Structure formats: structure tokens, C-alpha cells
Amino acid sequence: MTTPSFIYTSAPQRVVFGAGSLQHLAREIDALGARRALVLSTPEQRPQAERVADMLGAHAAGVFDRAVMHVPIETAREAREVAARLGADCAVAIGGGSTTGLGKAIALDSGLPILAIPTTYAGSEMTPIYGITEAGMKKTGKDFRVLPRTVIYDPELSLGLPVGMSVTSGINAIAHAAEGLYAVDSNPIMDLMAQEGIAALGRALPAIRATPKDPAARSDALYGAWLCGTVLGNVGMALHHKLCHTLGGSFNLPHAETHTIVLPHALAYNAGAAPEAMAKIAKALGGSGGAAQAVYDLARDNGAPVALRDIGMKEADLDLACEHALKNQYPNPRPLERAAIRALLQNAWEGVRP
Ligand SMILES: NC(=O)C1=CN([C@@H]2O[C@H](COP(=O)(O)OP(=O)(O)OC[C@H]3O[C@@H](n4cnc5c(N)ncnc54)[C@H](O)[C@@H]3O)[C@@H](O)[C@H]2O)C=CC1
Ligand SMILES: O=C(O)/C=C\C(=O)CC(=O)O
């Protein structure tokens, strides 16, 4: 096989990985040169945020616990004001993509460095991508100021992530790697990471379902999430991410569940146009059939939702979702075809196996 031409830019980021690695927090804050860290979380994860603040002692400026999904601009403004008022020189985000996203909204405005402590598998901590929702519209952009400088991956912090959320969040991560494998700007390094990331999550999710507090499975899942998040941060996404962005942003569907339901259908749509990528996905998931079927089975067999109608999508809104998805052209292995995308959405709504 010949190696194709490609461009690979590696981002400056420090990753501290391992069970118990939260104990290195103070050292890592020191390495950033920070003295007053504002700790961010959702209301539900306030106890974890307080633990982090306690560990920081005099270097904690305070806790802001109002992170919510899709970063409403009002919350971003409030968090920015709190950071400025408390004289914070760093944001510590403990939680999932919503909390990391709030940290990014602060960093975008102020340049404050972020130390991220992920507790789901969404992967935002590895990307320079931010999203902010204003007047019901979610806008995303790319800016290296928002890329967390340091990431502490401690699998002990995700032991309590409910099984349902672990499975859908893990498949959200797999989606980044799957689309990375057919990205127009892909490269061999991202290919390796994508395959390894999918394989790690493909092993870990059934193991977590069987034994939610299995430390080895939690570690495997977080490792996979790291790799898949890196792929998302480095190469362009395609139809699947566009559809999920539309469904989440315009119809307020839950993020990880939407990814889980749509991915098999987006892969089926692209299967004929990206056979090599599909073979790699299927192989990483240990299946002998197709990639779309392997992802669908992973979700269904581990108790995840497989139909958009089961997570609040109305059938009457499918036409509008299709229009949104076709609004702007973007690279995708198979050209964007209205009738086929409408059929994809119908299949995802009904939850049929592709
Ligand atoms: N900018 C980027 O690169 C990316 C952004 N995102 C964004 O992240 C958001 C979704 O993030 P997710 O991580 O899926 O969900 P999330 O951050 O909204 O978390 C969902 C819920 O689970 C709770 N939770 C998180 N970790 C927990 C744990 N270990 N134990 C118990 N509860 C826990 C949270 O407090 C929250 O209530 C979306 O807004 C999405 O657009 C997602 C991926 C990449
Ligand atoms: O919407 C954002 O915050 C940016 C990217 C993502 O959410 C990636 C994804 O769809 O998982």
C-alpha cells in the first residue's frame, strides 16, 4: 500500500491519563502558571466540582455550577462575568461536553486557559470546536483559544456515569472516529486513532453494561473517547454530524442519544461511497457484516434507543430536518441527495435496522 499525501498538524495539549490521576490536579494547575481557578460543572455535578475546589484550596476562585447542554449565550455571559469578577486566571471544567463547552465559551471571550476533567465520552476536551446557542440557533466555530491546555482523564470519575448514558456517549465518540475515517482531510495518524478508538469503545460498552463499575472497562472507554475526540478535533465531519447538529439544535433532541440513533443510518447512506472506511469500522467492532449494522447492534444490544420517535422527534418535523440538513453544502463521501436523506431520517425515526 502506498502512503497518500497529507497534512498533519498536532495541537499542543497535555494529557494526564489513569485511574486516580485527579490527584495531580494541583501540579497541573501550577504547570499552567494559574493561581485562581474557576471550577465549572452542571448543577448535578456540583459535589464533584466542590471536591475539585477543595483540592485546589487557596488556588480555587470559586465554583460556577450552571452548565447546561448546548451553551446558551445567557449562561456563557453569566459565567464570563463571574470569571472576571472573581479574577480567575484559569477554568477547570469537570463534567461532560456541556461543561467543557461552557469553559470554551469563557476562553473564547477571555483567552483563559482551560483544564478539562471529562466524565463522559463526548470528546469536546480534545477539540478546538465551540458551540453557543443564541435565540434558538446553535452556532459552532473553531478557535484554538478554546482548546483545553491540559486534560486529566481519570476513569474513576466516570464509574457513576449511568449505563444508558455511558452507551450513548460512547457511541457519540464512535461517530467522531467513524466520520473521521472518510473525512476529506483525513490522514494516516487519525486513521490509526479512529480504528483504535472504535475498537476500545466497542469492547468497553458491553463490559460497562455488564459491570458498570468495572475499572478496566471504564479506563478502556475513556481511552477510546480520548482517541475519538482527537479525531473530531483534527479532521472534518460530514453528513452524520450535520444531521445530529440539526436535530439537536432545531428540535432540542438529546445529544448523545441522537448520535446513537442516527449513526447506523448515516453509515448506511455512505456505505457504497466509502467502502474502505466501512470495512475498518466493522473490523474495529469485531463484526463480519457491515459497519452500519455493527453500530446498530452495539446500540440495540446494550439497551440504547434506536428510534428518533422514542426520544421526542415528531414525524411531522422530518421534512424540515431534511431541509436544514441540505441548506449548506459540505463534503460527504456520497453527494447529498434529498430523497435518500429524507428516507434516512424516516428509517432513523422508525428505528429500523439498516
Ligand atoms: N465542541 C465539541 O467538540 C463537542 C461538543 N459536544 C457538546 O457537548 C454536549 C453534550 O455533552 P455530553 O457529554 O453528551 O453530556 P453533558 O455534558 O450534557 O452531560 C449529561 C448529564 O450527565 C451528567 N454527567 C456527566 N458525567 C457524569 C458522571 N460521570 N456521572 C454522573 N453524571 C454525569 C451531567 O452532569 C449532565 O447532567 C452537547 O452540547 C454537544 O454539542 C459534544 C462533543 C464534542
Ligand atoms: O455543537 C458543538 O458544541 C460542537 C460539536 C459537537 O457537538 C460534536 C458532536 O456533534 O458530537
Side-chain angles (χ1 to χ4, degrees):
M1 194 188 104
T2 54
T3 307
S5 344
F6 58 88
I7 295 175
Y8 171 63
T9 309
S10 73
Q13 246 188 328
R14 179 173 165 90
V15 168
V16 180
F17 192 101
S21 54
L22 186 61
Q23 67 182 299
H24 303 304
L25 176 64
R27 180 192 77 194
E28 294 303 324
I29 290 288
D30 210 37
L32 283 174
R35 292 287 170 269
R36 286 183 64 74
L38 177 63
V39 182
L40 307 173
S41 73
T42 59
E44 300 81 36
Q45 287 182 279
R46 171 129 198 150
Q48 279 180 313
E50 279 174 357
R51 180 179 162 212
V52 162
D54 284 349
M55 290 174 79
L56 289 172
H59 292 328
V63 171
F64 183 86
D65 70 357
R66 301 203 35 208
V68 287
M69 205 169 275
H70 302 313
V71 195
I73 185 73
E74 298 76 16
T75 314
R77 287 194 184 120
E78 196 186 340
R80 287 167 180 168
E81 279 163 23
V82 170
R85 180 162 42 79
L86 295 177
D89 59 4
C90 162
V92 173
I94 178 156
S98 299
T99 305
T100 308
L102 181 61
K104 288 177 169 184
I106 299 174
L108 186 66
D109 185 57
S110 62
L112 230 60
I114 302 171
L115 184 151
I117 309 170
T119 61
T120 70
Y121 309 129
S124 175
E125 67 282 355
M126 296 311 295
T127 85
I129 305 166
Y130 62 87
I132 297 180
T133 305
E134 188 164 9
M137 286 293 289
K138 184 164 181 180
K139 289 194 187 126
T140 55
K142 208 169 181 178
D143 190 316
F144 276 90
R145 275 181 308 174
V146 311
L147 181 74
R149 304 265 184 92
T150 305
V151 181
I152 296 182
Y153 281 111
D154 184 343
E156 287 178 1
L157 300 173
S158 53
L159 290 176
L161 185 65
V163 170
M165 194 146 175
S166 301
V167 174
T168 55
S169 187
I171 296 177
N172 179 195
I174 288 176
H176 308 328
E179 290 228 295
L181 284 167
Y182 53 61
V184 276
D185 52 352
S186 79
N187 64 64
I189 304 296
M190 289 307 125
D191 257 39
L192 288 174
M193 287 192 171
Q195 291 171 82
E196 175 78 355
I198 294 171
L201 283 155
R203 282 191 305 269
L205 300 184
I208 288 172
R209 182 154 195 245
T211 314
K213 292 195 189 302
D214 177 351
R218 288 292 182 182
S219 182
D220 228 11
L222 206 55
Y223 168 65
W226 166 24
L227 298 177
C228 294
T230 305
V231 176
L232 172 66
N234 277 270
V235 298
M237 297 289 113
L239 176 65
H240 168 76
H241 279 73
K242 175 74 179 178
L243 285 173
C244 292
H245 188 99
T246 295
L247 292 167
S250 305
F251 303 100
N252 202 24
L253 299 189
H255 182 82
E257 288 90 332
T258 305
H259 269 272
T260 299
I261 294 166
V262 172
L263 185 60
H265 302 284
L267 294 180
Y269 181 92
N270 280 328
E276 283 181 24
M278 298 302 155
K280 288 174 186 169
I281 297 164
K283 187 170 173 218
L285 288 174
S288 51
Q293 293 72 23
V295 173
Y296 183 93
D297 293 348
L298 181 69
R300 184 201 54 199
D301 296 350
N302 289 291
V306 292
L308 290 176
R309 66 174 159 203
D310 292 340
I311 61 162
M313 183 75 187
K314 294 196 194 88
E315 189 173 19
D317 284 335
L318 294 177
D319 284 337
L320 185 58
C322 185
E323 289 311 313
H324 284 328
L326 287 163
K327 236 179 214 161
N328 304 312
Q329 288 299 310
Y330 45 88
N332 188 63
R334 175 177 167 188
L336 305 181
E337 296 161 22
R338 183 179 303 273
I341 291 178
R342 180 61 181 77
L344 178 170
L345 286 167
Q346 187 71 34
N347 289 336
W349 186 81
E350 290 174 13
V352 295
R353 186 174 186 268

